[in-house]
């Protein structure tokens, strides 16, 4: 028997829903989504044609006074975006569900609210942080040289180990 340093199969079995994520969509329709989010399921949302990263960048650059105003301003510049976005969502669901379930799902004529509620719930279960997915590519990259300490010595005011707090008599004296 082999011993593995990393056993991804064991980790997959340990997910909360090892046989898939059951969803009661309606009285007539139960769906089963994969236990783990396949990486390619996000491809439609991350496509160059949809350009959600560019959309978010445009929203960040607008000078509108409100978030709603910013979104509306950007949408007017991209009138095909709502239809493209809905198509990308549908394509994502087609990747997540088997063909029969997807056909039943579409035949149930889900509303925009259904897509929002179901997507939000799946994002929570899958543990996907879309903010990190759509974050600025350069935001986590270092811009310059690695920083170095200003002094090679230590001081008494620096705690010796993480998690240790120093006593602060001034703050405890002011409690009265």
């Amino acid at each position: 028997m082999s011993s593995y340093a990393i056993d991804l199969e064991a980790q997959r079995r340990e997910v909360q829903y090892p046989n898939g994520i059951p969803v009661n969509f309606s009285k007539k329709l139960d769906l089963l989504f994969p236990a783990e989010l396949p990486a390619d399921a996000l491809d439609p949302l991350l496509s160059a044609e949809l350009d959600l990263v560019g959309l978010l960048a445009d929203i960040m650059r607008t000078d509108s006074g409100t978030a709603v105003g910013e979104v509306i301003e950007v949408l007017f510049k991209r009138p095909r975006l709502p239809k493209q976005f809905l198509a990308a969502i549908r394509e994502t669901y087609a990747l997540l569900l088997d063909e029969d379930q997807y056909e039943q799902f579409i035949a149930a004529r889900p509303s925009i609210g259904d897509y929002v509620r179901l997507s939000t719930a799946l994002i929570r279960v899958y543990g996907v942080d879309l903010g990190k997915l759509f974050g600025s590519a350069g935001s986590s990259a270092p811009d310059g040289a690695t920083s170095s300490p200003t002094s090679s010595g230590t001081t008494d005011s620096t705690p010796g180990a993480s998690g240790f707090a120093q006593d602060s008599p001034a703050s405890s004296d002011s409690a009265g």
Side-chain angles (χ1 to χ4, degrees):
M1 182 168 193
S2 297
S3 175
Y4 300 99
I6 299 172
D7 186 355
L8 291 179
E9 188 61 32
Q11 291 176 9
R12 286 186 189 109
R13 285 191 305 267
E14 294 171 3
V15 295
Q16 188 175 3
Y17 302 100
N19 299 317
I21 301 166
V23 173
N24 178 2
F25 183 75
S26 69
K27 289 181 183 180
K28 298 178 182 179
L29 181 58
D30 290 327
L31 302 170
L32 186 65
F33 286 83
E36 289 191 277
L37 182 66
D40 66 348
L42 294 177
D43 288 350
L45 296 171
L46 299 175
S47 72
E49 295 81 29
L50 189 57
D51 191 27
L52 287 181
V53 175
L55 170 75
L56 293 174
D58 286 350
I59 290 172
M60 298 302 286
R61 284 192 293 263
T62 60
D63 293 327
S64 180
T66 66
V68 173
E70 293 169 358
V71 171
I72 290 171
E73 183 179 326
V74 170
L75 286 178
F76 277 126
K77 292 178 184 176
R78 299 169 186 227
R80 296 176 349 142
L81 182 66
K83 192 169 188 167
Q84 288 175 315
F85 184 71
L86 186 55
I89 293 290
R90 286 182 179 138
E91 188 177 343
T92 298
Y93 279 94
L95 292 168
L96 292 173
L97 297 169
D98 67 36
E99 188 175 335
D100 183 51
Q101 286 190 56
Y102 179 71
E103 287 176 12
Q104 290 177 44
F105 175 68
I106 294 301
R109 299 188 65 214
S111 69
I112 297 297
D114 289 334
Y115 280 109
V116 170
R117 287 184 291 274
L118 181 56
S119 297
T120 302
L122 286 171
I123 287 168
R124 255 192 324 273
V125 173
Y126 283 132
V128 176
D129 185 344
L130 293 179
K132 289 181 182 177
L133 283 176
F134 294 128
S136 171
S139 65
S140 62
D143 289 324
T146 306
S147 64
S148 59
T150 56
S151 153
S152 61
T154 61
T155 66
D156 291 335
S157 64
T158 305
S162 176
F164 286 92
Q166 290 182 311
D167 291 332
S168 178
S171 63
S172 61
D173 289 343
S174 64

